[in-house]
Amino acid sequence: MTTMTDAEFFNKLAPTWDSTRERQPQLLQQLTTKLELKPRDRVLDLGSGTGVLLPYLAPQSAQVTAVDFAEAMLELAARNHAGLTNITYLHGDILELALPAASFEQITCLNFYPHVKDSAVFLSKAVRLLVPGGKLTIMHDIPRSAVNAIHGACAQVQDDNLPPAAVVAQRLTDVGLQVLYQEDTENYYFVQGVKP
């Protein structure tokens, strides 16, 4: 029996992905407001998937780069948000992509962080990609308990657990970010750090 890579797994789920998720536009708007986007911001949306966050990011930013290792997910995102002309879609693993240092004012990770295989490398790369004063935000539009229950019920991602916000906040501190938010609530998860 051959094992499926995570990219293959998410590519296979892409056609039905959006129908399996409950949309929470008010919560997504609330989380996006906490980003404090500026019209000049260049945003890197990591693990963009089908682009759930893109309609909240693009109207408030100069440019959004949507990255995902699942090509089928990105193709859906591009179709779903064809009217948003300031989005670039980039297929690849963020740990392997060569992006210029200090290129982004904001890096967002919605419902993605547990799938990162090497957190220390990932966070160090994110810091390198941020401009001074830039922010990295790790967020989920469901509570941590729900994320871990969903992942725990699926063999492919059963080990992709979301740590408590305090743990992730410490990881941000360890790579040199100053923590602005550390929220692990009954409705959402939001950890944000700023590059000095």
Side-chain angles (χ1 to χ4, degrees):
M1 180 172 132
T2 57
T3 13
M4 201 181 307
T5 67
D6 282 354
E8 290 168 336
F9 173 74
F10 285 104
N11 275 327
K12 186 176 176 181
L13 291 177
T16 59
W17 185 260
D18 287 334
S19 66
T20 64
R21 297 194 78 244
E22 179 187 345
R23 295 287 181 182
Q24 300 187 70
Q26 288 179 324
L27 179 55
L28 289 171
Q29 185 59 58
Q30 176 188 345
L31 295 175
T32 307
T33 298
K34 292 166 83 68
L35 298 175
E36 298 180 340
L37 292 165
K38 296 175 180 62
R40 64 171 173 72
D41 281 354
R42 295 162 296 168
V43 180
L44 180 61
D45 186 39
L46 297 176
S48 197
T50 59
V52 171
L53 200 55
L54 298 178
Y56 300 90
L57 299 174
Q60 300 181 61
S61 309
Q63 176 66 37
V64 178
T65 302
V67 174
D68 204 288
F69 63 20
E71 193 169 17
M73 291 278 198
L74 272 185
E75 288 170 359
L76 280 172
R79 274 198 303 269
N80 292 343
H81 307 295
L84 299 172
T85 58
N86 62 336
I87 302 173
T88 302
Y89 298 92
L90 188 56
H91 172 244
D93 184 334
I94 188 56
L95 298 181
E96 297 170 7
L97 289 174
L99 296 170
S103 298
F104 300 97
E105 284 74 30
Q106 299 264 357
I107 298 177
T108 55
C109 305
L110 175 69
N111 303 334
F112 165 68
Y113 183 72
H115 304 297
V116 171
K117 299 305 178 198
D118 189 332
S119 178
V121 171
F122 169 77
L123 293 174
S124 294
K125 183 162 191 173
V127 170
R128 186 183 70 76
L129 295 174
L130 286 170
V131 299
K135 298 175 192 171
L136 168 64
T137 306
I138 296 168
M139 56 185 160
H140 287 262
D141 59 352
I142 58 176
R144 182 171 58 89
S145 59
V147 172
N148 291 338
I150 292 165
H151 291 177
C154 177
Q156 182 73 30
V157 294
Q158 68 185 359
D159 296 326
D160 294 359
N161 291 313
L162 180 60
V167 171
V168 174
Q170 184 58 55
R171 290 175 183 174
L172 297 189
T173 301
D174 291 346
V175 294
L177 296 178
Q178 295 172 352
V179 175
L180 300 176
Y181 289 98
Q182 176 184 318
E183 299 176 352
D184 195 341
T185 77
E186 293 178 4
N187 299 312
Y188 67 88
Y189 182 99
F190 192 93
V191 179
Q192 185 183 72
V194 62
K195 182 176 179 177

